[in-house]
Amino acid sequence: MTTDTARRVNGASHAEGTGTWAVLLPAGRYDAERLVHHDTLELTGLEDATLPRPGDQVAVLADEPPRLVAVGRVAAPTVRRPEDPDDPQSDRGPEALVVAYTRRAFDEPVPADALALGGPVTALDPGTFRELVDRLGPPPQRRSWLVSLDLPIEADSPAEAVRLFWAYVQELGPRELPAFVSPSGDELAMQAFVLGAEANQDPEEEDD
């Protein structure tokens, strides 16, 4: 018999906050998550019967090939407003599976080829989940970085130049604009990044 905080998953009882799962990112979502920092991952269009519960642990995977890119815990979804704000009785939007990230590995994912996935959400036994997460190793030490974005802009005033700067940033974004990053105190080690990866910005080297 299950209680209010338990249900059946693959034939086993599941108490809230005790489940372990694998969640597969939709096509194209890996690049989006890698380009911009997000505190949470929200996925919609999933069947309610397959959804993990708040507090459950989640291994976030990218496909082709399968690899572990993040770890998190399920958070309570935000309340969805009715589709029609003028009609409180109209159908509400779909509930989202919300995963709060606790560890990210989008830049250095680990292989997960041996993991058998049954769809976008798959229940895992705790041992398999722990073995998968342990492949990440200890988290790297955090340090300070200097990140800059330089754009030559023609304008009739400093204020107008700033407005144009933000317009270009919003329009082009991290897919087209190179950001320059270096460890604090070591500007000579500066690197350019585009699309979340190091990119050579020296045209002479590209011609060689």
Side-chain angles (χ1 to χ4, degrees):
M1 176 179 177
T2 58
T3 65
D4 292 339
T5 59
R7 59 177 175 151
R8 293 274 170 184
V9 177
N10 291 346
S13 62
H14 166 214
E16 181 173 345
T18 65
T20 49
W21 304 76
V23 171
L24 190 62
L25 289 174
R29 190 65 177 270
Y30 169 73
D31 289 337
E33 293 297 313
R34 188 181 177 204
L35 284 178
V36 179
H37 177 95
H38 299 103
D39 291 328
T40 60
L41 169 69
E42 292 194 19
L43 300 174
T44 58
L46 303 174
E47 297 181 5
D48 291 342
T50 67
L51 291 183
R53 310 194 74 164
D56 286 355
Q57 298 182 81
V58 172
V60 181
L61 304 174
D63 202 1
E64 298 181 358
R67 55 207 188 277
L68 177 66
V69 298
V71 182
R73 283 189 177 274
V74 178
T78 56
V79 177
R80 297 284 176 174
R81 296 182 177 181
E83 293 289 343
D84 182 358
D86 295 326
D87 181 8
Q89 300 302 317
S90 66
D91 293 336
R92 293 182 178 271
E95 291 294 331
L97 170 62
V98 181
V99 178
Y101 289 123
T102 57
R103 174 82 183 271
R104 296 171 178 81
F106 289 104
D107 298 319
E108 296 182 353
V110 298
D113 305 74
L115 199 63
L117 302 177
V121 178
T122 303
L124 300 177
D125 67 78
T128 300
F129 177 86
R130 177 48 52 194
E131 180 182 352
L132 180 63
V133 173
D134 284 347
R135 297 178 191 174
L136 291 174
Q141 184 177 0
R142 298 181 67 86
R143 60 186 302 183
S144 296
W145 302 85
L146 295 177
V147 182
S148 62
L149 181 63
D150 297 324
L151 294 176
I153 295 176
E154 293 185 3
D156 54 16
S157 70
E160 179 65 15
V162 171
R163 284 191 290 271
L164 287 171
F165 171 86
W166 289 117
Y168 289 139
V169 170
Q170 291 178 336
E171 178 182 355
L172 301 177
R175 297 181 181 275
E176 298 186 47
L177 293 177
F180 299 91
V181 58
S182 64
S184 294
D186 187 9
E187 286 72 16
L188 294 178
M190 179 177 291
Q191 298 171 307
F193 275 74
V194 180
L195 287 173
E198 186 176 354
N200 182 17
Q201 298 296 301
D202 189 339
E204 294 184 359
E205 292 185 10
E206 291 178 355
D207 294 336
D208 293 341

